[in-house]
Amino acid sequence: MNAGQAFLLLETAATIFMAGVLWTMQLLNYPLLALVGREAFPRYEAAHNRRFALVVVPGVLAAVAGSLGLMAARPGQVPLWAPACELALLLIVIISTAALQGRQHGTLAGGFDQRTLGLLVHSNWIRVAAWSAAAADALWMCYRVFSP
């Protein structure tokens, strides 16, 4: 296995993992936040934010490393646009998190607000779509590289 193939496998594993995390948050965790209760909500949200970072930071870092590695050591079967697309999708995730979901979680840390929760659920589709597209792109690159 060469460096480009190793970076591709890292990228693929990271994006599939993160797509799964985001789909779980979108369909399971975020809708259930409304059931936590107003009194316990600030403590719950603070704990969620601390623990969620333990899950997503390694996944995001692995995806960034995989994308950058692919740009530097791209397998010949992979067109340049494919790893560039990965980087663009990661940038969308990072910008969306900083501009939208991070702020929404910050507001929710101060107490439950139905409107903010609704905005979080709706805006999170940006990250779900971006991670899902990144995973599909990575799988397509794997097909190109590892098919006989």
Side-chain angles (χ1 to χ4, degrees):
M1 179 179 306
N2 63 39
Q5 291 170 330
F7 282 122
L8 176 56
L9 291 177
L10 174 63
E11 176 67 9
T12 304
T15 56
I16 290 172
F17 170 76
M18 288 303 300
V21 168
L22 267 290
W23 275 102
T24 301
M25 293 304 299
Q26 186 69 11
L27 299 178
L28 180 66
N29 280 54
Y30 286 167
L32 293 177
L33 287 176
L35 303 178
V36 171
R38 290 192 181 276
E39 186 177 312
F41 195 86
R43 286 190 334 271
Y44 177 87
E45 180 68 10
H48 164 83
N49 291 342
R50 280 192 311 276
R51 292 180 178 153
F52 191 64
L54 297 173
V55 173
V56 299
V57 170
V60 171
L61 292 177
V64 169
S67 291
L68 293 174
L70 273 173
M71 292 297 290
R74 180 173 47 91
Q77 306 93 321
V78 173
L80 180 60
W81 64 262
C85 184
E86 294 286 308
L87 282 172
L89 290 164
L90 290 172
L91 189 59
I92 289 169
V93 167
I94 291 166
I95 291 170
S96 180
T97 300
L100 300 171
Q101 295 85 27
R103 291 179 181 182
Q104 292 156 351
H105 276 290
T107 299
L108 289 170
F112 180 78
D113 178 72
Q114 185 63 50
R115 181 179 178 281
T116 302
L117 178 58
L119 290 171
L120 175 63
V121 170
H122 285 92
S123 72
N124 194 55
W125 282 112
I126 297 167
R127 297 188 300 183
V128 171
W131 280 118
S132 298
D137 184 34
L139 287 168
W140 179 81
M141 287 188 281
C142 280
Y143 172 77
R144 295 277 304 213
V145 171
F146 297 111
S147 320

